[in-house]
Amino acid sequence: MLTDELKIEIYRMMYLAQTWEQRLLRLLDDGLVSGFYHAGRGHEALEVASMVALRDDDYLLYDHRGCAHMLAKRMSMVSLFGDFLGNDKGSTKGLGAGIVHIADPDHGVLGQSGTLGGGHVLAAGVGLSIKLRKTDQVVVNFFGDGAANRGTFHEGANVAGAWKLPVIYIVQNNGWAISTPQSQVTAIESFAERAAGYGMAGVSIDGMDPFLVYETMAEAVERARGGGGPTLLEGRVVRFRGHYEGDPGTYRSKEELAAGKDLDPVVRTRLRLLEDGLRTEEELDRLQHDVDAEIEAALEEALTGTVPGRERLSEGLYV
Amino acid sequence: MTTTPTVRKLSYSRAINEALAEELARDERVFIMGQDVGAFGGAFGVTRGLHARFGGERVIDTPISEMFLVGGGVGAAITGLRPVVEMQYADFLWNAGDEIVGKMSKWRYMHGGLFTVPMVLRLPEGAAGGAGPEHSTCPEAALLAAAGSYIVIPSTPYDAKGLLKSAIRDDNPVAYFEHKGMYGLKGEVPEEEYTIPLGQADLKRVGDDVSIITWGRMVHRALEAAETAAADGISVEVLDLRCLRPLDVAAIVATVEKTGRVIISHEAGKTGGGGGEIAAIIAEECITSLEAPVRRICGIETPVPQSTHLEQYVVPTAEDLGAAITDIARY
């Protein structure tokens, strides 16, 4: 159930994800991290609220769109910064992570397939593992409308449906596969329509509304834990920035982008909390101030890390 | 009166089956999945009886979905299980190329060593019985570039069982190539439990004049050629590499330094079939020990034809090896 406390927590984490990313982009401007970053601004509601509906021992295969899902899955901010900085504070101990390949097994963060859509089949395997081990965990696999078209989706979704695996496929549909609009490469309007073909539940929602995301996700999680099988959850979202930092964005009209930005989930959720009287301006300001301080402290610690030498290359390939 | 205990004989196929059964019984995290591996017993009967004994949750029939088979295996392996995945034919590794090279081989490394990927990919390979161009290849060398995965190619029932048990117990991903043409081959397999460490080549025959470095089914043709050569007074050593990774470089160097005359033989085509890599290692490590140029006796470089009549000409014979032995011994 979506309690008032959960609403506050969702807002806090969305604000954290947004602010964390702003801080990362400043590091990028300073030349401290690479431009292979795919900003998640605009996607916070879908990534955060869905993760808040999970337990610590549930699994996440994230996608490259920002880091809100990882942060909401309690991935350490020091590790995240360290991975971007390519130093030994990172989860990969300096392998350098751009945005892919950050992991945290203790919080179920299993990593990411660098080839888009590679996670579709891994997720089905994780679902099978959960079923064979007879736990009530679930696994969530994030991907965009672009990666929704990989053949791996067919193979993963087919077994997930056939064997009623506890997999939740979340497609972050922002309508653009880099520069290619969805309408140009798919005949359908909603990817949720595809779910029926795999015998799984399919639902398409406004992914800019975090409370709706939470409620929808909670249903999918309950279904998965109870043996009811997988869900394909489409969240319709807006990508506020380019596909990557430096993307000229010439393919999208200014009007479309401006209209999308009016739906800012972080701004609108703050207003909702105020309107509903859940918190006062002062309380939310204090919450944000605390988050800002938390981020700065994490960054400060991450910056003390050391970039490893050549010997790091050969570590961890084999057991 | 004392009797010498006779070691029982098992086929290559039964030896693999026994390894699977023993590991399924030993470790509840081990499970098998693949196309028709359940009650049907696998396309080549290798998993026969395992479904009845261990049930449908340990021996799982899957759809025709190679990307899922391998990628799903990785997902299960990083979350606490030890999958043994059967690809119906080794040739299908290309259908799961990214899952093998990008996921199975790299997941651990690219995620900072935070996971292990303890899975085995069983890959029935080789030209046998006219299966045609897309079901007859020996693609093990293709995985030489997939650092992160081991490559095992057993040549006897004894090796097949011992190496498979080690592969299943290893925390690294292992691609295990079993030659379809050897499923019926019988050999001694002790009743007692044993394993064979990965990465140790095996001298299948000791000799002084010529070395044949080989693996997989070609080991047997090399042994046949060595026997024939012995009658002509040429002493041939046959080194079965058994694994292309970990590769037993010390064993390669030792045999080269001993005989100075080397033939490298594999069933895959000469270009890209793995022999070139062995020759390069010899050039790097012990070229001054060579008394003659290295010879490669390998499969011809065409697709494998469907016709069994033509198929027999694709794979080198003992006679081909015999001619090379005579030639190199005289050099």
Side-chain angles (χ1 to χ4, degrees):
Chain A
M1 204 190 104
L2 184 53
T3 61
D4 289 350
E5 287 316 303
L6 273 175
K7 287 181 180 173
I8 302 296
E9 176 54 18
I10 288 169
Y11 173 69
R12 191 187 75 85
M13 191 54 78
M14 289 198 302
Y15 175 77
L16 184 147
Q18 178 210 342
T19 312
W20 184 88
E21 183 172 276
Q22 276 173 357
R23 196 66 192 84
L24 183 80
L25 292 172
R26 275 166 55 200
L27 295 178
L28 202 153
D29 287 343
D30 294 343
L32 290 172
V33 304
S34 95
F36 281 107
Y37 181 66
H38 307 80
R41 191 72 183 89
H43 287 233
E44 292 91 347
L46 184 56
E47 295 189 9
V48 167
S50 58
M51 291 298 97
V52 170
L54 294 185
R55 292 193 317 234
D56 230 25
D57 66 337
D58 291 323
Y59 295 114
L60 165 65
L61 287 155
Y62 54 85
D63 65 1
H64 59 278
R65 186 56 57 208
C67 291
H69 29 28
M70 298 169 225
L71 288 163
K73 198 70 175 69
R74 309 287 169 186
M75 175 97 206
S76 139
M77 279 196 286
V78 177
S79 297
L80 264 176
F81 275 129
D83 278 321
F84 281 98
L85 292 162
N87 70 32
D88 61 0
K89 291 288 181 185
S91 71
T92 62
K93 299 283 181 279
L95 276 185
I99 195 161
V100 293
H101 313 316
I102 294 156
D104 181 359
D106 292 340
H107 294 97
V109 182
L110 296 176
Q112 188 204 23
S113 164
T115 50
L116 294 189
H120 300 322
V121 284
L122 260 79
V126 175
L128 176 62
S129 163
I130 293 167
K131 189 178 176 188
L132 294 178
R133 288 184 287 111
K134 299 180 174 25
T135 73
D136 67 346
Q137 294 161 287
V138 304
V139 55
V140 176
N141 179 53
F142 275 94
F143 53 104
D145 48 289
N149 291 326
R150 277 293 310 281
T152 43
F153 184 76
H154 176 68
E155 295 200 1
N158 179 58
V159 293
W163 298 340
K164 291 204 177 302
L165 302 178
V167 184
I168 299 170
Y169 287 104
I170 298 184
V171 51
Q172 307 208 64
N173 187 356
N174 61 32
W176 292 93
I178 306 190
S179 69
T180 306
Q182 182 197 334
S183 59
Q184 198 172 312
V185 291
T186 55
I188 49 168
E189 286 200 6
S190 163
F191 288 96
E193 290 175 40
R194 291 185 179 170
Y198 300 106
M200 69 168 82
V203 54
S204 181
I205 59 169
D206 175 7
M208 306 298 271
D209 178 347
F211 302 153
L212 177 61
V213 169
Y214 179 90
E215 302 275 14
T216 311
M217 185 69 179
E219 275 177 37
V221 170
E222 194 183 340
R223 179 161 50 242
R225 291 204 206 287
T231 299
L232 173 56
L233 194 169
E234 175 183 67
R236 298 184 304 275
V237 289
V238 180
R239 154 158 69 78
F240 286 8
R241 299 177 70 90
H243 168 66
Y244 59 97
E245 292 309 297
D247 176 356
T250 46
Y251 44 84
R252 187 163 51 164
S253 75
K254 286 193 177 71
E255 294 72 28
E256 179 187 329
L257 185 55
K261 285 186 174 176
D262 286 345
L263 305 172
D264 190 325
V266 185
V267 172
R268 287 200 310 166
T269 303
R270 183 184 158 106
L271 289 174
R272 267 167 90 172
L273 296 179
L274 293 171
E275 279 165 18
D276 294 349
L278 296 186
R279 287 291 187 277
T280 64
E281 291 266 9
E282 293 70 31
E283 285 167 336
L284 289 181
D285 287 348
R286 196 158 55 245
L287 177 151
Q288 294 180 191
H289 181 266
D290 290 348
V291 168
D292 293 345
E294 205 184 323
I295 292 169
E296 285 310 311
L299 177 58
E300 205 169 303
E301 190 186 337
L303 284 167
T304 66
T306 310
V307 175
R310 185 182 290 261
E311 72 283 353
R312 176 70 189 86
L313 280 176
S314 55
E315 291 168 7
L317 180 56
Y318 300 100
V319 179
Chain B
M1 195 179 109
T2 57
T3 53
T4 314
T6 53
V7 181
R8 79 187 163 137
K9 290 203 166 184
L10 273 188
S11 70
Y12 187 81
S13 169
R14 289 297 92 190
I16 294 169
N17 180 279
E18 203 169 82
L20 292 170
E22 287 177 12
E23 294 309 302
L24 282 165
R26 176 180 173 274
D27 186 343
E28 64 179 14
R29 297 169 300 174
V30 175
F31 75 98
I32 292 172
M33 66 175 170
Q35 294 154 28
D36 309 302
V37 297
F40 186 69
F44 303 103
V46 177
T47 56
R48 196 172 295 147
L50 299 178
H51 184 271
R53 180 171 164 199
F54 295 98
E57 290 206 335
R58 304 290 302 286
V59 185
I60 302 168
D61 279 322
T62 68
I64 301 173
S65 297
E66 282 78 14
M67 295 187 291
F68 164 71
L69 274 169
V70 181
V74 174
I78 61 174
T79 53
L81 297 181
R82 307 182 78 84
V84 180
V85 171
E86 177 178 311
M87 297 288 256
Q88 203 154 63
Y89 287 82
D91 314 66
F92 301 168
L93 68 79
W94 305 108
N95 295 67
D98 181 41
E99 280 64 40
I100 294 174
V101 177
K103 308 299 169 284
M104 183 176 95
S105 305
K106 293 181 185 168
W107 201 267
R108 169 179 169 76
Y109 182 81
M110 70 186 176
H111 293 96
L114 291 166
F115 303 97
T116 57
V117 186
M119 66 183 282
V120 176
L121 202 54
R122 287 185 40 239
L123 297 146
E125 70 168 7
E134 296 154 300
H135 297 74
S136 301
T137 59
C138 288
E140 58 267 11
L143 298 188
L144 282 171
S149 286
Y150 289 158
I151 306 167
V152 177
I153 320 105
S155 68
T156 65
Y158 180 85
D159 287 354
K161 182 176 176 188
L163 288 168
L164 182 52
K165 285 170 71 81
S166 292
I168 293 171
R169 294 180 193 185
D170 203 284
D171 281 335
N172 297 292
V174 179
Y176 178 95
F177 292 85
E178 48 195 65
H179 200 295
K180 304 193 294 287
M182 289 197 291
Y183 279 139
L185 176 80
K186 290 205 166 172
E188 292 185 348
V189 178
E191 302 267 3
E192 312 79 63
E193 156 132 282
Y194 68 96
T195 58
I196 299 171
L198 305 181
Q200 286 186 8
D202 185 41
L203 269 182
K204 287 287 194 285
R205 181 183 176 109
V206 178
D208 299 313
D209 303 327
V210 174
S211 300
I212 302 179
I213 300 174
T214 184
W215 60 87
R217 187 170 62 164
M218 286 309 298
V219 168
H220 301 281
R221 298 187 179 190
L223 289 170
E224 193 185 330
E227 190 66 29
T228 307
D232 299 331
I234 305 171
S235 169
V236 177
E237 180 149 296
V238 177
L239 181 68
D240 177 1
L241 291 180
R242 297 200 291 200
C243 297
L244 289 184
R245 187 164 44 236
L247 183 65
D248 192 343
V249 174
I252 294 171
V253 171
T255 193
V256 173
E257 288 180 344
K258 183 179 180 186
T259 68
R261 296 169 200 278
V262 181
I263 297 167
I264 300 166
S265 182
H266 51 67
E267 181 169 322
K270 187 187 279 187
T271 306
E277 187 60 30
I278 307 301
I281 288 169
I282 292 170
E284 285 175 335
E285 301 286 331
C286 48
I287 195 167
T288 54
S289 299
L290 289 177
E291 303 287 344
V294 169
R295 295 286 307 273
R296 281 186 288 165
I297 303 300
C298 304
I300 65 165
E301 304 198 41
T302 66
V304 181
Q306 189 92 41
S307 150
T308 49
H309 171 69
L310 288 175
E311 182 190 81
Q312 64 178 323
Y313 301 126
V314 169
V315 184
T317 60
E319 289 71 35
D320 296 333
L321 282 164
I325 290 167
T326 308
D327 190 43
I328 203 169
R330 282 202 204 110
Y331 186 90

